[in-house]
Amino acid sequence: MSKMKFNLVEDPWIKVLDKKTTEIKKLTLIEVFTNTSRYSRLSGEMSSQDLAVMRFLLAILTTVYLRFDMDGNAYPWLDKKENFFVEPNKEFEKLRGNKWKKDILLTWKKLYDQGQFSDVVVQYLKENKELFDIFGSNPFYQVTKEEYNKLVEDKKRLTDKKQPGSVSLKQINRRISESGNSQAIFSPRTESTKNELSLDELVRWLIMYQNYAGTTDKSKIKDKEKVSVSAGWLYKINPVYLDGNDLFETLMLNLVLLGNDKDFYLPKPMWEWKNVEEYVDSLRTRICPKNIPEIYTNLSRLIYIDWNDSKHLKIYSAGLPMFNALNAFIEPMATWKIDKKSGGYLPIRRGLNTLGKEMWQNFGLYVKINQNDSDHKPGIVKWANELKRNGFLERDEILSMKMVDLIDDGNASSQMPAAEIVDDLTLNLDVIFDDSDKFYWPERIEQVIQDTQAIGNDIYYLGKDIGNLRKVANPQEYADKLRGNFYLRINIPFKKWLTSLSIEDDRDEKIIVWRTKLEKIIEEYEGNILSNISKKDIIGIKDGDGNIINIFTEFNKFKNKVYKHLKKEAL
C-alpha cells in the first residue's frame, strides 16, 4: 500500500468530451482548469455522476474566487495566509452588501470575458495537493481506520474478529448498485468484473456515492441524538443547473458567488476542515451550511478503505447526520415546495411516478409565472437573473436549464437507484426574466402549458372511454399509454416553440402558432387511433339511459373538450 499513489490534482481522472476530436479524455484537476474551454462537457459513466463531479469542481472555483480576485489578490476584507487560505481582517466587520458584491461580481465578469480561469486556481491546487490525495494521511473523501473506529458506534468498530459495515465496489458503482442481499438483474458488467474498478473510476464513483448514497448502510456514527441513515444530499433535491456551450461556460454560469444572504460567508469545503472529528461535530448540529462549497462537498458517509489488497478492496461505510433541509436556500440547484407543517420550503424530490413528466410541464418551478408569484425558485435561476441585471449576459441570449435526477426505487429502507432522468428547458433570457406587466411572457407560457396538459388529460379520459368500450382488462393502463404517447409526440415541437419565443413577439400570434401545431398533431393522433377501429367499436354499447356509445360519440365528446382548450368553438 505504501507505494500506491493517486492524487486528483496531478493524476488524470476527470472524463471530458473534447470539442475538436469528440474523443473522451481523462484529465487532472490542473488540466481541467487550465484548458476548460477546449472541452464540450464532462463525460463520465452517468449524467448524475457528471453532476456530482461538476459540483466538486464548482466547490473549488467558489472557494478560490470568494477569496481572491482574478489576479490572485485577496479581497480588501481578507488577509492571505499559507496555502491560499484567508482570514478576515478589520475591514471584514465594516462589510456592506453592495461593496463586497460589486468586487465579487467584477471578478466573475473578468473571468467570463477572459474565457478561461486564472492562475490562482492552479496555485491553490498545487499548494493544497495533499488534501486531494487518495492515499494520503488525510485521504480524500475518506477517513483512516483509527478515525473510523473512533467515530462509529462501539458495536460497529472494526476489529480482527469482526468487520461490520462493509460496502462492495459494485454498490458504490451506481450503474450496478448491487448490495450483498439482492442481485442487479440488468448490470452493465459481468459477475466476475462487478467488483473491479480502476483508481480513476473509483474516484468518480466515490464522489458520486457521497452525493447519491441510499439507505442500506447498517453502520452509523455515534451521537447523543438518534442518527438516521440518510440518503445523499443530491438524491433529495431534483437538481437543476445552467448548461453552457462548453465546459468553461457551464462552470461559469453555475459559479454562484452571491448567496441568498446579505452577509459574506467564508467558503469552507469539507477538505479544509481541521480534522475529521471537527467536521463530524459540525454535522451533528444538523445546521445547514451557510456557504456553497460546504454544501457542494457535504459527505453523507464516513468511508474507510482498506487498501492492503488492491485487487480486493475492503470498503466500510457509516451513515452521517444530514442537516435540516427546511429553507436550505444556500443550495442553488434545488427546486422547492411549500412544507404544510412549517409554512417554509423543502426541496422537491421526484419519484418513479413522475418519470413521464417533462421539465416544461413544471415550468412554474423554475420561472416566476406572474409578477405576484412568491414561490421560491432555484437559486441558480436567480443567479442568472443577477448576471442579466448587471449586463454580464446578452439580452437575447438563450439560456438552457438542465435537470439531472437520479430516482430511487421508492423503498425507504434501501433507496437504490431505479432511473435517471435528464431533461432541459431552453428559453430566451429576456423571456424568462420579462419585466413587463401587461405582456408578461411567463404568465402566458404557463397558461399555454396548462391548456396543453388539459388536452393530455382529455386524451387520458378518451383512452378510458375507449378501454371501457372495448372491455379491455385495464382501461386506466390503456389511457396512461395513450397520454404518454401524446406527450412523446408534442415534447420536441413544444420545446422548439419555447426556444423560438422572444421579448418582441406578439404574444397572441405566437400562441396561435403553437395551437395550430398542436391541433395538427392531435388530428394525426386521432387518425392513428381511428385506423385501428373494429366493427364492435362502431356498433358500440348502451349506457344506463339506453343511449348508444361508440367510438364516434366518444371522439365527438373528446373533440369538444379539445376545442375548448384550444380556444376554438366546439362542434
Side-chain angles (χ1 to χ4, degrees):
M1 187 194 86
S2 58
K3 294 182 179 179
M4 295 179 70
K5 66 183 188 69
F6 196 95
N7 192 293
L8 279 65
V9 175
E10 298 174 327
D11 291 300
W13 65 278
I14 304 170
K15 297 178 79 172
V16 297
L17 183 67
D18 189 280
K19 284 167 69 173
K20 287 187 177 180
T21 65
T22 67
E23 293 177 345
I24 295 176
K25 295 183 175 180
K26 276 190 289 191
L27 307 176
T28 68
L29 277 173
I30 289 177
E31 289 171 332
V32 164
F33 290 126
T34 304
N35 303 302
T36 320
S37 59
R38 293 184 186 178
Y39 311 108
S40 300
R41 56 178 173 82
L42 296 174
S43 190
E45 282 76 8
M46 297 175 69
S47 294
S48 44
Q49 183 197 83
D50 289 339
L51 177 60
V53 171
M54 182 178 78
R55 284 164 64 94
F56 167 67
L57 299 179
L58 287 169
I60 295 171
L61 291 171
T62 311
T63 296
V64 171
Y65 290 118
L66 281 178
R67 295 173 178 173
F68 306 99
D69 63 19
M70 195 183 79
D71 298 320
N73 299 314
Y75 293 114
W77 57 88
L78 300 172
D79 288 335
K80 183 179 177 181
K81 297 298 179 181
E82 289 184 15
N83 299 335
F84 285 80
F85 283 40
V86 293
E87 69 177 17
N89 57 32
K90 60 183 181 179
E91 296 297 317
F92 189 85
E93 298 301 323
K94 303 175 186 177
L95 273 186
R96 295 294 180 269
N98 290 337
K99 169 59 180 170
W100 74 263
K101 288 182 179 181
K102 183 179 179 181
D103 288 354
I104 296 242
L105 285 171
L106 182 60
T107 295
W108 191 96
K109 180 67 164 61
K110 286 182 177 180
L111 287 170
Y112 194 66
D113 290 345
Q114 179 177 269
Q116 64 183 42
F117 298 111
S118 55
D119 292 340
V120 66
V121 180
V122 173
Q123 292 169 0
Y124 169 84
L125 291 171
K126 287 181 176 180
E127 287 290 327
N128 294 284
K129 67 179 183 179
E130 72 277 1
L131 301 177
F132 300 93
D133 193 335
I134 291 295
F135 299 101
S137 56
N138 296 302
F140 177 78
Y141 272 30
Q142 308 156 62
V143 295
T144 64
K145 183 177 181 179
E146 292 71 23
E147 290 168 333
Y148 186 89
N149 278 341
K150 187 175 183 179
L151 291 166
V152 298
E153 295 174 315
D154 294 344
K155 61 183 178 180
K156 297 297 183 179
R157 287 178 179 172
L158 305 177
T159 67
D160 293 337
K161 293 183 178 179
K162 61 175 186 175
Q163 297 177 335
S166 65
V167 177
S168 60
L169 286 176
K170 63 184 179 180
Q171 185 166 335
I172 286 180
N173 183 336
R174 304 313 268 163
R175 293 181 69 191
I176 303 175
S177 296
E178 181 177 307
S179 68
N181 299 321
S182 59
Q183 186 174 12
I185 300 174
F186 302 106
S187 171
R189 294 200 176 198
T190 61
E191 192 64 34
S192 61
T193 62
K194 283 181 180 179
N195 273 315
E196 293 181 5
L197 287 176
S198 62
L199 282 175
D200 62 281
E201 282 182 285
L202 178 61
V203 172
R204 294 190 297 274
W205 289 122
L206 183 61
I207 292 173
M208 182 180 177
Y209 191 72
Q210 290 285 12
N211 284 273
Y212 289 101
T215 53
T216 57
D217 299 69
K218 304 303 180 185
S219 297
K220 51 192 175 183
I221 67 160
K222 53 189 172 185
D223 192 12
K224 293 178 181 178
E225 296 183 34
K226 184 179 179 180
V227 177
S228 299
V229 176
S230 171
W233 175 243
L234 264 185
Y235 227 174
K236 296 171 172 283
I237 68 172
N238 182 34
V240 58
Y241 66 94
L242 306 180
D243 196 26
N245 293 316
D246 57 33
L247 183 55
F248 172 77
E249 190 171 298
T250 296
L251 289 173
M252 283 300 300
L253 288 174
N254 293 283
L255 182 55
V256 180
L257 297 179
L258 304 181
N260 288 280
D261 206 308
K262 293 180 180 179
D263 295 326
F264 176 88
Y265 292 99
L266 284 171
K268 194 171 185 179
M270 69 76 45
W271 58 78
E272 286 193 0
W273 285 77
K274 185 178 179 181
N275 54 57
V276 174
E277 290 180 59
E278 185 181 271
Y279 178 70
V280 171
D281 281 343
S282 75
L283 296 179
R284 287 187 174 115
T285 67
R286 274 72 168 179
I287 297 173
C288 181
K290 292 186 176 181
N291 68 93
I292 290 174
E294 189 175 342
I295 204 166
Y296 277 1
T297 59
N298 172 262
L299 300 187
S300 63
R301 295 295 180 270
L302 199 68
I303 288 181
Y304 161 62
I305 302 179
D306 184 350
W307 297 95
N308 286 321
D309 184 351
S310 60
K311 292 184 179 179
H312 300 91
L313 299 181
K314 294 181 180 179
I315 303 176
Y316 302 92
S317 173
L320 291 167
M322 180 59 69
F323 54 83
N324 188 347
L326 187 68
N327 296 333
F329 299 137
I330 187 64
E331 170 56 64
M333 297 185 184
T335 48
W336 303 93
K337 63 180 180 181
I338 294 177
D339 176 42
K340 294 180 180 178
K341 290 183 179 179
S342 67
Y345 284 85
L346 286 172
I348 290 174
R349 186 175 186 179
R350 292 183 62 162
L352 287 172
N353 61 330
T354 66
L355 286 181
K357 200 152 191 176
E358 305 294 338
M359 195 173 174
W360 58 263
Q361 292 176 262
N362 289 319
F363 184 74
L365 289 180
Y366 311 102
V367 179
K368 185 178 178 180
I369 58 175
N370 60 62
Q371 298 291 18
N372 298 318
D373 184 359
S374 59
D375 283 351
H376 203 85
K377 308 304 174 188
I380 201 70
V381 177
K382 294 181 179 180
W383 170 245
N385 194 23
E386 184 75 28
L387 298 177
K388 173 183 176 290
R389 288 195 300 106
N390 282 277
F392 296 169
L393 301 177
E394 298 294 332
R395 289 188 65 254
D396 59 349
E397 190 165 336
I398 296 296
L399 189 72
S400 179
M401 292 177 270
K402 193 165 186 177
M403 183 264 292
V404 175
D405 206 355
L406 191 65
I407 296 178
D408 68 73
D409 58 7
N411 186 337
S413 62
S414 64
Q415 295 185 25
M416 299 291 270
E420 184 181 64
I421 300 176
V422 180
D423 201 359
D424 63 86
L425 183 61
T426 304
L427 290 100
N428 186 292
L429 199 64
D430 280 345
V431 171
I432 297 173
F433 304 116
D434 190 356
D435 56 7
S436 61
D437 290 322
K438 186 176 180 182
F439 303 105
Y440 189 65
W441 243 135
E443 188 168 11
R444 301 298 301 277
I445 292 170
E446 177 66 13
Q447 187 57 58
V448 170
I449 290 171
Q450 288 181 12
D451 291 339
T452 303
Q453 291 191 110
I455 292 172
N457 291 334
D458 294 339
I459 287 175
Y460 173 82
Y461 289 111
L462 172 66
K464 281 191 72 174
D465 290 338
I466 293 175
N468 289 324
L469 182 66
R470 293 175 176 174
K471 297 181 180 179
V472 300
N474 192 333
Q476 185 173 335
E477 186 177 301
Y478 179 75
D480 279 328
K481 184 177 180 180
L482 280 188
R483 181 168 56 183
N485 288 337
F486 166 72
Y487 280 118
L488 284 175
R489 285 171 181 259
I490 69 169
N491 187 40
I492 292 177
F494 189 78
K495 284 185 173 182
K496 287 182 177 178
W497 177 77
L498 282 177
T499 307
S500 74
L501 304 181
S502 74
I503 201 67
E504 290 83 15
D505 287 333
D506 181 298
R507 312 305 195 245
D508 291 332
E509 287 183 4
K510 290 295 287 189
I511 290 171
I512 289 172
V513 168
W514 168 245
R515 287 177 182 160
T516 303
K517 176 69 175 177
L518 180 57
E519 186 175 8
K520 185 178 180 181
I521 293 172
I522 292 169
E523 287 175 356
E524 292 172 353
Y525 197 53
E526 289 175 354
N528 288 340
I529 297 174
L530 289 171
S531 66
N532 296 315
I533 62 174
S534 66
K535 185 177 180 181
K536 288 183 178 180
D537 293 334
I538 297 171
I539 294 173
I541 58 176
K542 288 184 179 181
D543 64 12
D545 298 324
N547 300 314
I548 294 294
I549 298 174
N550 61 23
I551 194 74
F552 302 113
T553 61
E554 297 310 303
F555 262 99
N556 283 338
K557 184 169 66 174
F558 165 70
K559 282 188 175 182
N560 278 326
K561 292 179 181 178
V562 168
Y563 277 27
K564 176 184 176 183
H565 296 128
L566 289 174
K567 305 298 189 284
K568 296 180 65 172
E569 290 186 12
L571 296 173

